[in-house]
Amino acid sequence: AQKVTQAQTEISVVEKEDVTLDCVYETRDTTYYLFWYKQPPSGELVFLIRRNSFDEQNEISGRYSWNFQKSTSSFNFTITASQVVDSAVYFCALSGYYNQGGKLIFGQGTELSVKP
Amino acid sequence: EPEVTQTPSHQVTQMGQEVILRCVPISNHLYFYWYRQILGQKVEFLVSFYNNEISEKSEIFDDQFSVERPDGSNFTLKIRSTKLEDSAMYFCASSVADESTEAFFGQGTRLTVV
């Protein structure tokens, strides 16, 4: 069975602090995809990143970086120098590769609150 | 930038009534999805649709639910006889291909069953 666990329900930081959101996944697939989505207070889901299971290289995009470690089944997300606009719920998600209709399995989400 | 559009943004309906939630996926996308999010909870997969048929559905997607692509642009979710527990945010998503590409989500329809 596939499962995504985001153990941190809520995180509160002060602006300019770095913050890491944890994501641990379970899957029996050897090929799979991992995603992060952001849900701001307005409610929509905004795609942030997709990573396939063959690519363990860390990725950086501006203040965002992602650390994928297959050995620990983790795909953590770090925001450097956080800003108030980063306040949102962040979801990690997993997608299998074959014959799964493209469905995403989401974690419970981590609510990040960045205070000025 | 192309986007997935959902209407209405908020729908209030009485228990037992039928509702149809509408979505216009991105035009060159081939895979379509419905997800729901009960308030304060995680986003849950309902159904995926490709080539005019359901690819996969979850246990949530029972006989009360149906999906349709009535024309070349719309993708609808119908709930036949709504229950209080159907109250949730419903997200439509589309992707150009299957699980190897990212799904783009609409802004959601908040369904309130009273």
Side-chain angles (χ1 to χ4, degrees):
Chain A
Q2 295 177 314
K3 186 179 177 184
V4 176
T5 302
Q6 295 178 255
Q8 304 148 309
T9 307
E10 295 177 20
I11 300 177
S12 183
V13 299
V14 177
E15 211 170 17
K16 296 184 185 166
E17 282 185 33
D18 297 348
V19 58
T20 295
L21 310 182
D22 297 334
C23 172
V24 173
Y25 61 92
E26 294 174 32
T27 180
R28 284 194 283 242
D29 293 337
T30 53
T31 304
Y32 49 89
Y33 292 87
L34 295 161
F35 302 77
W36 276 94
Y37 282 84
K38 174 181 179 179
Q39 186 175 43
S42 48
E44 71 273 24
L45 286 166
V46 178
F47 167 80
L48 295 178
I49 190 172
R50 171 179 62 92
R51 175 53 51 89
N52 77 54
S53 53
F54 293 122
D55 183 3
E56 286 194 72
Q57 237 181 359
N58 291 333
E59 181 153 341
I60 298 174
S61 176
R63 295 184 297 106
Y64 295 170
S65 62
W66 290 270
N67 184 328
F68 175 32
Q69 294 208 351
K70 217 166 171 177
S71 60
T72 56
S73 298
S74 65
F75 186 44
N76 297 338
F77 172 32
T78 297
I79 302 174
T80 304
S82 58
Q83 299 175 2
V84 172
V85 293
D86 296 327
S87 296
V89 180
Y90 291 86
F91 291 96
C92 180
L94 168 69
S95 175
Y97 194 74
Y98 295 112
N99 300 321
Q100 296 192 35
K103 73 178 183 187
L104 293 168
I105 306 297
F106 283 83
Q108 294 279 23
T110 296
E111 183 172 4
L112 174 64
S113 176
V114 182
K115 301 195 186 311
Chain B
E1 188 176 320
E3 58 182 20
V4 176
T5 306
Q6 291 185 242
T7 53
S9 56
H10 190 190
Q11 171 113 31
V12 181
T13 189
Q14 287 206 320
M15 194 168 54
Q17 294 295 305
E18 174 183 286
V19 293
I20 297 176
L21 309 183
R22 302 181 192 280
C23 170
V24 179
I26 295 174
S27 62
N28 64 332
H29 286 189
L30 302 176
Y31 290 76
F32 314 112
Y33 315 89
W34 283 101
Y35 290 81
R36 81 169 185 193
Q37 184 184 30
I38 295 171
L39 187 63
Q41 297 188 23
K42 68 178 176 181
V43 180
E44 300 174 290
F45 170 79
L46 290 178
V47 66
S48 59
F49 191 86
Y50 169 70
N51 201 25
N52 282 319
E53 60 182 27
I54 290 174
S55 306
E56 186 169 358
K57 58 184 181 179
S58 70
E59 316 82 62
I60 303 167
F61 194 88
D62 62 21
D63 293 344
Q64 291 299 310
F65 292 89
S66 62
V67 289
E68 196 177 32
R69 189 152 161 83
D71 53 42
S73 60
N74 290 284
F75 180 51
T76 61
L77 174 70
K78 183 195 290 186
I79 309 175
R80 280 187 240 299
S81 177
T82 50
K83 303 188 278 284
L84 294 176
E85 52 265 38
D86 293 327
S87 295
M89 181 76 94
Y90 288 81
F91 290 102
C92 173
S94 68
S95 60
V96 66
D98 54 14
E99 52 276 328
S100 62
T101 61
E102 61 266 32
F104 290 87
F105 284 77
Q107 79 280 20
T109 293
R110 180 163 297 286
L111 176 66
T112 303
V113 182
V114 297

